[in-house]
Amino acid sequence: IFPNPVKTILTIENKSQIPIQNLEVYNTAGQMLESHSEPLNTVDFSDFAVGIYFLKINTVDGKSLTQKIVKY
């Protein structure tokens, strides 16, 4: 996941090749701001305010990864 910190576009490099089921973006209060169910390798952060966010990646095999993202 790069670049982090991000200004506009965040890129997700899927080295494991396990298909991504969906992506979710949360703020620090735990509110979901966006959810994408189609396969994506980028997330547009340009409309978000400067701050800290969490990107949750869910794969088709039921696993998930949450990464802290800094927006500047």
Side-chain angles (χ1 to χ4, degrees):
I1 299 173
F2 62 92
N4 193 8
V6 62
K7 185 171 185 163
T8 54
I9 302 295
L10 184 74
T11 301
I12 300 161
E13 185 176 325
N14 186 359
K15 291 182 180 181
S16 71
Q17 299 304 314
I18 298 171
I20 295 172
Q21 183 174 11
N22 70 336
L23 303 172
E24 299 166 348
V25 179
Y26 293 88
N27 63 16
T28 55
Q31 298 169 312
M32 185 189 307
L33 304 176
E34 272 188 18
S35 179
H36 300 280
S37 58
E38 66 277 358
L40 292 176
N41 63 350
T42 62
V43 178
D44 187 356
F45 271 77
S46 60
D47 290 337
F48 293 130
V50 170
I52 296 174
Y53 298 89
F54 295 93
L55 176 68
K56 183 177 181 183
I57 302 170
N58 298 302
T59 60
V60 295
D61 64 356
K63 295 181 181 175
S64 67
L65 167 73
T66 302
Q67 180 73 39
K68 181 171 83 171
I69 306 296
V70 177
K71 164 72 162 87
Y72 71 96

